[in-house]
Amino acid sequence: MGSVMRPIPFRKLLSWILEEREKYSSVFGISQVKFFEKKTSASLQLFGEYLDTPIGPAAGPHTQLAQNIVASYLCGGRFFELKTVQVLDQLDIPKPCIDAGDECYNVEWSTELTVEEAFAEYVKAWFLLHVLQKELWDLEQRGFIFNMSVGYDLKGIKSPKVDKFIEGLKDASQTGIFQECKKILKEEIKRFARVDEGFIDSISPNICNSVTLSTMHGCPPAEIETICRYLLAEKKMHTFVKLNPTLLGYTFVKDALARMGYNYIHLKEESFSHDLQYDDGLALLKRLQGFAREHGRSFGVKLSNTLPVKNTKGELPGEEMYLSGRALYPLTINLAARLAAEFAGRLKISYAGGGDAFNVPHIFATGIWPITVATTLLKPGGYLRLKQIAEELEPYLQDMVSDTVDVEKLAELAAGAFKDPDYHKEKRGGSSRKLVKKLPLTDCFIAPCTAGCPIGQDIPEYIRLVGEKRYLEAYELIIAKNPLPFITGSLCPQFCAAKCTRLDYDEPVCIREIKRMAAENGCRAYLQQRVKTERKSPARVAVIGAGPAGLAASYFLARAGLNVTIFDKREKPGGTVAYIIPPFRIAGEAIARDLELVKGAGVEFKLGIDPDFSLAQLKREGYKYVYLAIGAGEPKALDLKVGGEKVVSAIEFLEKFKAGRSVVQLGKKVAVIGGGDVAMDAARAALRVAGVEKVYIIYRRTKEYMPARREELQEALAEGIILKELLSPHSWSGGVLQCQKMQLGEPDASGRRSVVPLEGEFENIAVDAVISATGQGVDYGILKKNGIEVNAQGEIAINPATNETNVENVFLGGDALRGPATIVEAIADGSKVARAILAREGIGRQTSTLVSFEEGKRLQQINLKKGTLQAAAPDLEKEHERCLECGFACNICTEVCPNRANIAVEVAGGSLQQINQIVHVDGMCNECGNCATFCPYDGAPYKDKLTLFWSEDDFTNSQNNGFLLLTAGEKPVFKLRVDGRVLQVTFDASGRADVDLEKGILDLVWAVFKGYRYLF
């Protein structure tokens, strides 16, 4: 029933594992090719037990259920910090409870099961891991460790319920669930190849001899110490005590987060003042270390707990939430470094705090282990990410001989953490990968990059073609939708990259660069083989403007067989690209090669003509259709008081610079006003002008809110340009630019913070020239003169489906319609207009080239890439290896579900995308919301996908579309709900249903029944 998880009986779990592995070579959706198998005999020892590798899941969603622990183990987890139990085990935890979109937040802290249920899950998992270790790899020596976690006060830990839990994990031999599991294994003995009764009897009932103590924020030091002494002496447990990042102090943490760009994270000072203080904590640890030594037990710290922050995002319920993930790593590793130094490396540290494949090997190399992770496993790839970490740790195991922490090496790692861009907010930014598309019930695979591209470029396909060195096919595929691959391969703002799934792994695929590679290697072959286009219509089309919008429409129309003429006032085509964008951003040769493609399609150019065109005259000259792609060339005035000096518009300056920088004179110091891409171009160009020594960019907000692309800003700063934030130009006179100081105000509806002036506070900057890059406007006069309707707000009357104006057969697009926009958006407008004109002429536009791939090989290669973090390749030849080809095989919702509640199901017939369908299993879901976070659609798989219910009550108490098996047998009967309609459906032996319903839904239900009976 929605958020209520149903623990799966042991026999059922065992059958599920065995059947799925036999049928599909996977277990709980983990493909056997992603199982971790040790390649060396090296191992570690902890608490007197062997540990194959020191990595595993932290106490959290990945150690709450038996199947979660199994999934972790198969992928490489060997140290399992079981989810915390407490005496209050009937909590109503609000949902959703996890937001792991970038840095992670949660509002739950202990297991959602009762203490008894949690105990049973851990015992079931204990047996299953033993069986899998033997059955898969024929290993006798156990190489994994279970570490229990309890909280949150002494009274609760001493309660009969929790005490029974602790004693049961210390020795489970007399518990009913232990005996039941052993009995079932023996009853199912014939299903195993390597497991025999002797092995089953050898499974130790001593599940845990160690514990991690978790206390609530604000727990008094004396209480913490008393609990630790109780666990060490009376319970005789090796003990870790979990400490909080608040030990670092409010000011340190606040400043550190702001320095890394997380200045939107709001801390509560009382969370620090009420929590354990550093000096008290240090004294406490020293006393406990000695106490543990006296009692022959190990003692150490678990670093760190999550960080309490104010809930300002509104994504989760409640007023407070807990921070983890990459923003926590620099804090935790610095806390580790401080404590290690205090103890000269002789304090055992168990680590959790933003660990992933990039940093875990470095953490381990300092002598810190075991290391547990949670946030990284909540992201696409899920449990599969453990395999990479485990494999990368193997070489280090041979060298781990010391039991102390290398203080110097750890200090160096900690010092670099705050500077490392991997942990700065800017690395991920604030953009959302979500598409404005509803999640469909079936057939949901989608490439977010393609969907996010204004022209729907077939990105994963051309990336694979480039990877296979099929450059001609890649080029043909690109130009089917984009006639300017060289220009966009240099200048595209990459809306696609903002949607790339790799953004939730490491960094987006270098899509633009791969496009340019395809163009450079495929263009010549295409032009050599191309045949002349046959004219298919006598209709003539006039295109006004030879910028990207005009070029795109002209190319598509001419390629389809229409007679097209481009008119432009300038002497050469290309518009802004040819005349404004500086040569250090794009070479003239790149522009020329795209123009060659457009001209080769049969487009005629009339250049250097009178810009004062007349629609009536064009119609008299026989042009049936007119497309106005005239751009936005009117500079917006800068509200600046000047004393005789001239403020130069950025567009005017850039045009002169491109014509020949030697004729431009700016003086020694230049100020550029604005925060967009044009401002970056102007600033970088100004720095290249002879005599210029300093260039300032003046921006009224902070760089986090700049509209300029990150790469453009970074390149400008790398060249030495000085960014002056929170300044609004007020006056310029006598060589002094006076700027009003500003401060950030409250966020608006979009999350962008307003700015308000600091009354009476100014900053004076000595400059010789001021360049205004505050935007361009549209010349509405030329539109109105030709009868095109424009209202007082500058809104132009068009049909949004075709971009046709109120004047019949006259269309508008590009910057003239949108205002200053991007090249790819201009191409999208040109494409839309071309489609509309061709439709009127009864001519179909050529669609994307059909490309063939080896589907089986492709799927296998994609699966191998899942869960592997990999930074952008220095060698672009290998960059295609990072593309996850989501439109061919997505399954993100199955990967990110800790409970394995989203299942990929094979359905007979259709394409691979149709064969692979998603079913949601209601009884395994706690509605944490994680699949909703990472699904590229504006949807939530746990609500929106077809749901399998285990009981009548669960079916009734849910509103999900879904199904419930009523009776099995040769003619199974289901209760089925689709769009609020409830039906009873009977299938015959061949899978035909007795109701008229969408075939895809019925096929999916039948496929689950026939091939996945273990799900019921």
Side-chain angles (χ1 to χ4, degrees):
M1 183 182 73
S3 64
V4 180
M5 297 177 296
R6 312 289 192 201
I8 302 172
F10 183 72
R11 192 185 301 273
K12 182 70 179 174
L13 280 169
L14 182 64
S15 293
W16 182 331
I17 290 170
L18 296 175
E19 288 178 34
E20 184 183 343
R21 181 173 172 242
E22 181 181 355
K23 283 185 177 180
Y24 304 108
S25 297
S26 64
V27 173
F28 297 128
I30 308 294
S31 172
Q32 197 155 319
V33 300
K34 299 297 282 190
F35 290 0
F36 168 72
E37 182 177 3
K38 273 182 69 68
K39 299 293 189 296
T40 71
S41 59
S43 63
L44 302 167
Q45 282 201 0
L46 181 64
F47 311 139
E49 298 182 307
Y50 286 100
L51 189 61
D52 282 344
T53 186
I55 189 70
H62 302 95
T63 56
Q64 183 162 236
L65 296 171
Q67 66 263 28
N68 305 15
I69 295 171
V70 169
S72 298
Y73 174 77
L74 292 173
C75 293
R78 294 296 182 267
F79 183 84
F80 298 90
E81 190 182 76
L82 305 177
K83 193 164 188 186
T84 308
V85 299
Q86 61 159 322
V87 66
L88 299 175
D89 57 357
Q90 300 286 332
L91 296 175
D92 182 18
I93 296 174
K95 302 296 172 66
C97 57
I98 298 173
D99 176 13
D102 184 9
E103 70 276 13
C104 183
Y105 303 94
N106 74 83
V107 292
E108 50 80 47
W109 52 89
S110 60
T111 179
E112 297 173 51
L113 304 174
T114 65
V115 172
E116 293 81 6
E117 286 174 331
F119 176 78
E121 289 302 294
Y122 303 151
V123 173
K124 288 186 283 186
W126 179 256
F127 274 98
L128 290 172
L129 264 55
H130 278 85
V131 168
L132 285 166
Q133 178 180 276
K134 178 66 174 174
E135 195 71 3
L136 292 173
W137 300 298
D138 198 20
L139 297 175
E140 297 282 349
Q141 178 181 288
R142 172 167 56 87
F144 57 87
I145 293 175
F146 278 22
N147 170 251
M148 73 173 84
S149 177
V150 297
Y152 292 98
D153 58 20
L154 184 60
K155 182 180 178 182
I157 290 170
K158 280 187 168 183
S159 68
K161 185 190 300 185
V162 178
D163 186 68
K164 184 179 179 182
F165 172 88
I166 294 171
E167 292 299 322
L169 286 181
K170 286 169 61 180
D171 183 356
S173 59
Q174 302 307 307
T175 64
I177 185 64
F178 187 90
Q179 294 167 0
E180 177 190 337
C181 292
K182 181 177 282 192
K183 177 175 178 287
I184 290 171
L185 284 177
K186 290 184 176 180
E187 289 172 354
E188 301 286 346
I189 198 76
K190 292 182 180 178
R191 303 180 71 176
F192 300 113
R194 291 169 170 165
V195 172
D196 55 24
E197 286 204 14
F199 178 79
I200 296 169
D201 286 333
S202 74
I203 296 174
S204 172
N206 308 123
I207 295 172
C208 285
N209 68 359
S210 66
V211 62
T212 295
L213 170 64
S214 183
T215 58
M216 297 295 286
H217 292 276
C219 185
E223 174 85 350
I224 296 172
E225 184 167 356
T226 302
I227 298 171
C228 288
R229 288 174 178 267
Y230 170 77
L231 294 172
L232 287 162
E234 296 191 39
K235 293 288 112 176
K236 297 180 170 52
M237 304 282 287
H238 304 289
T239 302
F240 287 127
V241 59
K242 190 178 288 188
L243 298 181
N244 303 329
T246 51
L247 280 173
L248 291 166
Y250 174 75
T251 301
F252 180 91
V253 173
K254 181 174 179 289
D255 290 348
L257 289 173
R259 200 160 66 244
M260 294 188 294
Y262 300 95
N263 47 17
Y264 56 88
I265 293 177
H266 297 281
L267 305 173
K268 294 195 297 186
E269 196 162 358
E270 56 267 30
S271 298
F272 292 77
S273 58
H274 295 169
D275 224 336
L276 181 67
Q277 300 300 296
Y278 184 81
D279 289 340
D280 293 339
L282 195 62
L284 178 152
L285 293 179
K286 288 178 178 177
R287 291 193 298 270
L288 286 173
Q289 194 178 56
F291 182 81
R293 195 180 302 115
E294 291 171 9
H295 287 79
R297 302 294 164 200
S298 299
F299 174 77
V301 294
K302 174 65 184 284
L303 301 179
S304 68
N305 207 341
T306 50
L307 177 68
V309 301
K310 292 180 183 178
N311 185 0
T312 58
K313 295 181 66 175
E315 300 288 337
L316 300 177
E319 296 180 357
E320 187 175 60
M321 54 189 184
Y322 299 92
L323 169 72
S324 61
R326 72 185 182 106
L328 194 59
Y329 170 75
L331 297 172
T332 304
I333 203 68
N334 272 271
L335 179 56
R338 284 187 67 178
L339 290 175
E342 300 278 7
F343 286 83
R346 298 191 179 277
L347 176 68
K348 185 64 180 173
I349 299 176
S350 172
Y351 187 91
D356 62 23
F358 289 141
N359 58 34
V360 165
H362 302 296
I363 297 169
F364 180 69
T366 69
I368 290 177
W369 62 277
I371 303 167
T372 56
V373 293
T375 298
T376 192
L377 305 185
L378 289 168
K379 296 178 182 292
Y383 290 101
L384 303 181
R385 292 176 175 228
L386 279 169
K387 184 174 191 283
Q388 181 185 15
I389 300 174
E391 288 176 342
E392 294 194 5
L393 281 175
E394 275 210 81
Y396 292 87
L397 300 181
Q398 303 275 12
D399 303 326
M400 185 53 65
V401 292
S402 174
D403 199 33
T404 60
V405 175
D406 187 325
V407 174
E408 188 175 326
K409 188 179 288 186
L410 179 56
E412 184 180 346
L413 185 63
F418 287 122
K419 302 172 188 173
D420 192 331
D422 280 348
Y423 308 108
H424 290 196
K425 182 62 182 181
E426 192 172 67
K427 178 69 179 283
R428 176 60 167 79
S431 61
S432 170
R433 285 186 53 251
K434 287 287 186 183
L435 304 169
V436 187
K437 290 178 179 288
K438 182 182 177 183
L439 176 61
L441 197 57
T442 60
D443 302 340
C444 60
F445 284 9
I446 193 169
C449 55
T450 295
C453 173
I455 56 177
Q457 194 89 76
D458 304 292
I459 294 165
E461 285 71 26
Y462 79 63
I463 288 177
R464 172 162 280 272
L465 288 169
V466 168
E468 295 177 0
K469 300 195 184 306
R470 295 158 66 180
Y471 299 115
L472 173 58
E473 291 172 87
Y475 181 76
E476 289 177 325
L477 187 63
I478 291 167
I479 63 172
K481 294 181 177 178
N482 175 7
L484 307 176
F486 282 96
I487 292 173
T488 53
S490 302
L491 302 174
C492 188
Q494 299 194 95
F495 296 110
C496 52
K499 302 298 181 185
C500 180
T501 301
R502 271 282 169 195
L503 204 58
D504 290 323
Y505 274 77
D506 31 60
E507 54 190 322
V509 175
C510 298
I511 299 170
R512 184 180 60 208
E513 288 74 12
I514 296 175
K515 177 185 290 167
R516 189 167 65 241
M517 180 185 287
E520 288 170 348
N521 290 279
C523 174
R524 283 285 161 238
Y526 176 80
L527 294 175
Q528 289 167 6
Q529 71 173 21
R530 187 176 59 184
V531 295
K532 190 173 181 180
T533 304
E534 176 188 350
R535 290 289 171 220
K536 296 179 181 177
S537 168
R540 298 174 67 200
V541 183
V543 175
I544 312 301
L551 292 171
S554 301
Y555 170 78
F556 292 126
L557 290 168
R559 183 174 172 176
L562 268 65
N563 190 320
V564 185
T565 303
I566 293 182
F567 298 85
D568 198 283
K569 63 183 178 181
R570 297 184 182 274
E571 298 297 327
K572 60 182 180 180
T576 296
V577 179
Y579 282 89
I580 306 298
I581 296 178
F584 54 80
R585 294 259 329 270
I586 186 167
E589 183 186 358
I591 302 170
R593 292 173 85 172
D594 281 344
L595 290 173
E596 185 179 358
L597 174 69
V598 175
K599 291 173 182 176
V603 177
E604 180 185 1
F605 286 84
K606 291 188 177 181
L607 304 172
I609 63 162
D610 183 355
D612 191 19
F613 69 91
S614 162
L615 289 177
Q617 180 62 33
L618 290 171
K619 292 287 181 80
R620 285 194 295 272
E621 291 176 8
Y623 291 101
K624 182 177 179 180
Y625 303 101
V626 178
Y627 175 39
L628 304 178
I630 55 178
E634 294 294 308
K636 290 183 179 178
L638 179 65
D639 185 15
L640 182 68
K641 298 176 183 176
V642 295
E645 297 87 347
K646 180 189 177 187
V647 175
V648 181
S649 83
I651 298 299
E652 178 186 347
F653 161 66
L654 286 168
E655 185 164 358
K656 289 180 180 178
F657 177 85
K658 192 154 188 177
R661 74 176 79 172
S662 60
V663 301
V664 181
Q665 292 185 347
L666 296 173
K668 291 183 178 181
K669 297 178 180 178
V670 181
V672 177
I673 315 300
D677 287 345
V678 173
M680 303 304 118
D681 281 350
R684 294 178 66 195
L687 197 61
R688 289 164 167 80
V689 171
V692 172
E693 297 174 357
K694 275 189 180 179
V695 176
Y696 303 97
I697 293 175
I698 313 295
Y699 184 56
R700 61 202 301 260
R701 287 185 171 87
T702 57
K703 68 178 181 180
E704 289 83 8
Y705 299 97
M706 292 181 86
R709 286 178 291 145
R710 296 299 93 184
E711 62 178 316
E712 295 301 317
L713 173 60
Q714 288 163 3
E715 287 180 5
L717 296 177
E719 291 180 0
I721 290 161
I722 301 165
L723 174 61
K724 306 284 281 184
E725 301 172 285
L726 293 172
L727 292 178
S728 179
H730 176 262
S731 65
W732 182 36
S733 180
V736 175
L737 179 65
Q738 186 179 68
C739 299
Q740 169 79 59
K741 291 184 178 180
M742 312 294 285
Q743 64 181 350
L744 292 176
E746 293 302 311
D748 60 19
S750 70
R752 194 181 196 207
R753 295 177 69 180
S754 61
V755 285
V756 291
L758 287 166
E759 293 298 333
E761 295 193 33
F762 295 88
E763 180 174 336
N764 293 333
I765 305 169
V767 295
D768 301 303
V770 174
I771 298 173
S772 171
T774 54
Q776 300 292 115
V778 177
D779 180 2
Y780 295 114
I782 198 167
L783 300 177
K784 293 176 181 177
K785 188 181 72 174
N786 283 280
I788 295 170
E789 292 179 8
V790 182
N791 67 18
Q793 288 74 42
E795 296 168 338
I796 304 167
I798 63 158
N799 178 343
T802 61
N803 281 17
E804 186 176 18
T805 68
N806 60 291
V807 180
E808 186 181 9
N809 289 342
V810 175
F811 301 81
L812 184 69
D815 291 356
L817 175 63
R818 299 172 179 265
T822 63
I823 292 167
V824 72
E825 288 171 307
I827 294 172
D829 283 344
S831 180
K832 182 195 289 187
V833 169
R835 281 196 303 272
I837 292 173
L838 291 172
R840 287 193 187 174
E841 292 298 307
I843 301 171
R845 182 179 142 189
Q846 183 177 338
T847 57
S848 298
T849 308
L850 292 175
V851 182
S852 63
F853 298 107
E854 293 181 48
E855 287 202 349
K857 178 182 177 183
R858 185 180 184 187
L859 184 59
Q860 183 183 43
Q861 290 172 338
I862 294 170
N863 286 337
L864 287 171
K865 289 186 278 189
K866 294 276 189 175
T868 302
L869 276 63
Q870 184 181 356
D875 179 5
L876 200 58
E877 293 280 348
K878 296 182 178 179
E879 183 65 2
H880 67 278
E881 295 174 2
R882 300 179 62 244
C883 178
L884 296 165
E885 303 181 66
C886 309
F888 186 75
C890 175
N891 291 337
I892 287 175
C893 62
T894 72
E895 298 163 13
V896 302
C897 177
N899 299 348
R900 320 315 289 154
N902 297 319
I903 311 289
V905 172
E906 294 182 12
V907 180
S911 67
L912 181 71
Q913 290 92 330
Q914 294 168 326
I915 290 171
N916 193 124
Q917 301 289 352
I918 303 299
V919 165
H920 176 68
V921 182
D922 174 76
M924 297 169 70
C925 179
N926 64 337
E927 295 191 351
C928 71
N930 201 48
C931 61
T933 296
F934 292 103
C935 176
Y937 289 94
D938 184 14
Y942 73 96
K943 295 178 181 178
D944 300 333
K945 300 305 290 184
L946 197 67
T947 298
L948 165 61
F949 295 96
W950 285 345
S951 73
E952 182 77 42
D953 283 348
D954 289 349
F955 184 95
T956 302
N957 291 323
S958 172
Q959 296 182 351
N960 283 17
N961 292 318
F963 58 104
L964 169 71
L965 178 63
L966 298 177
T967 60
E970 289 188 9
K971 293 187 176 182
V973 181
F974 292 86
K975 181 179 281 190
L976 179 62
R977 179 170 50 236
V978 178
D979 296 333
R981 180 185 172 202
V982 178
L983 307 167
Q984 186 163 301
V985 181
T986 302
F987 289 89
D988 65 19
S990 65
R992 285 192 295 270
D994 64 351
V995 298
D996 182 18
L997 200 63
E998 183 182 326
K999 187 175 184 297
I1001 295 172
L1002 295 172
D1003 286 348
L1004 179 51
V1005 174
W1006 178 251
V1008 174
F1009 178 76
K1010 289 296 290 182
Y1012 301 81
R1013 196 72 64 89
Y1014 49 81
L1015 293 179
F1016 289 94

